[in-house]
Amino acid sequence: MPANKFLTPELRKSLAEKLWIVAALVLGAAEPIVVKYGYRGGLGPYQFFIIRNIAGALTLTPVFAYFWLRRPDQAKIVKPVIPIALLLMTTSLCTILALRGLTAVTVLTVVTSTPALVAIINERLGRDILGKKFWLGFWLCFIGVVLSMPFDNYSGDWLGTIAVIIAIFTSGFYRVKMDEITLKYNSIYISSLCFVILGIISLVCLPFIGKISTYDICYGIVVGIAAALANVAFIKSLSLVGATRISVITMVQRPAFILIAALILREVPTLLQFLGIALVVAGVNFAKVKRAAKYKTDSA
């Protein structure tokens, strides 16, 4: 019997969801760590931001061109996507600024409050129906992430703290708007269009970033490519399971990287960190979200 007979449409959709979500988790969690490491070479945040955006735009331009040429009517989407791209730009810039003064661990931990904002907005819009267990699951995740964070990690940088708080709000509204627009249009095209818009804005700013070494340019290009691919994976996952659910799922990034670091560095996590990891895993399973019927999406 052919193996593909076992792959029913429902199973294929489920496998596709899982693969996109894994890609979003890995790529999304790696970027802050890569950015933080790049600061060691003397790269400034604004230089990082400009090079990253241009590299990300160039990475996704073929994808954008494919959809644009395939369906010329896609041009009408550009105008409504511009405010969404500006939200993404603000989130990215604030995150890069936050990483200048705060540790990657602190930034990854603080932004885990974003799912609560997304859930509240989507519930108010009638887009999601939050079950009785959702908030229990969210708080289990949040407490678990906090427990998995070393308590001596916060540097006290006030500018970085303000930047990461702004990033939480802009990221929350960005996800909600993406939730809305990907109901009607292809998520991969929307993601690539956002980066093309950011690339155009960054090209205008390029003459003002000053002198920069070849090494830093190459490093910024690597970050830009990773950021572009992470955004595509995240937005595709968002279109499949909804902004609220994917926001909760991404809370496993922090404890997952603790385990990876422990394996690589041969360090043993503390009992509190083990407890935190267990709470996050339990919380993700509790925090189920039911989509309102008119907002259910396809995998297209």
Side-chain angles (χ1 to χ4, degrees), residues 18-63:
K18 288 177 173 61
L19 287 173
W20 280 112
I21 288 170
V22 169
L25 289 173
V26 173
L27 292 168
E31 188 187 358
I33 297 170
V34 175
V35 170
K36 190 67 180 178
Y37 186 81
Y39 279 137
R40 296 180 180 180
L43 193 62
Y46 300 106
Q47 294 170 322
F48 222 141
F49 180 66
I50 297 299
I51 296 170
R52 167 194 180 276
N53 289 344
I54 294 173
L58 290 174
T59 301
L60 295 180
T61 292
V63 178

Side-chain angles (χ1 to χ4, degrees), residues 144-195:
V145 169
V146 172
L147 288 177
S148 67
M149 173 184 171
F151 290 102
D152 59 348
N153 238 270
Y154 180 62
S155 65
D157 180 75
W158 65 270
L159 182 59
T161 303
I162 293 172
V164 77
I165 290 172
I166 293 173
I168 290 169
F169 282 93
T170 55
S171 177
F173 285 104
Y174 166 74
R175 296 177 190 196
V176 170
K177 294 299 292 183
M178 273 295 187
D179 212 352
E180 179 182 348
I181 200 166
T182 53
L183 289 170
K184 301 177 183 178
Y185 303 105
N186 186 285
S187 57
I188 297 177
Y189 171 67
I190 296 298
S191 177
S192 63
L193 176 55
C194 278
F195 260 87

Side-chain angles (χ1 to χ4, degrees), residues 99-215:
L99 286 166
R100 176 97 182 195
L102 301 175
T103 65
V105 170
T106 300
V107 173
L108 282 171
T109 302
V110 174
V111 297
T112 54
S113 58
T114 306
L117 177 62
V118 175
I120 291 169
I121 296 173
N122 270 341
E123 186 181 37
R124 292 290 178 90
L125 291 173
R127 192 174 294 159
D128 285 337
I129 302 169
L130 305 181
K132 294 179 180 179
K133 295 180 179 178
F134 175 82
W135 289 110
L136 171 62
F138 169 78
W139 284 112
L140 283 175
C141 286
F142 188 80
I143 293 169
V145 169
V146 172
L147 288 177
S148 67
M149 173 184 171
F151 290 102
D152 59 348
N153 238 270
Y154 180 62
S155 65
D157 180 75
W158 65 270
L159 182 59
T161 303
I162 293 172
V164 77
I165 290 172
I166 293 173
I168 290 169
F169 282 93
T170 55
S171 177
F173 285 104
Y174 166 74
R175 296 177 190 196
V176 170
K177 294 299 292 183
M178 273 295 187
D179 212 352
E180 179 182 348
I181 200 166
T182 53
L183 289 170
K184 301 177 183 178
Y185 303 105
N186 186 285
S187 57
I188 297 177
Y189 171 67
I190 296 298
S191 177
S192 63
L193 176 55
C194 278
F195 260 87
V196 168
I197 293 170
L198 294 190
I200 293 170
I201 295 172
S202 298
L203 277 172
V204 175
C205 300
L206 186 60
F208 306 102
I209 66 171
K211 198 171 182 180
I212 184 171
S213 70
T214 303
Y215 172 83

Side-chain angles (χ1 to χ4, degrees), residues 279-291:
L279 288 175
V280 172
V281 173
V284 168
N285 284 290
F286 269 113
K288 303 294 184 182
V289 180
K290 184 177 180 182
R291 289 246 98 173

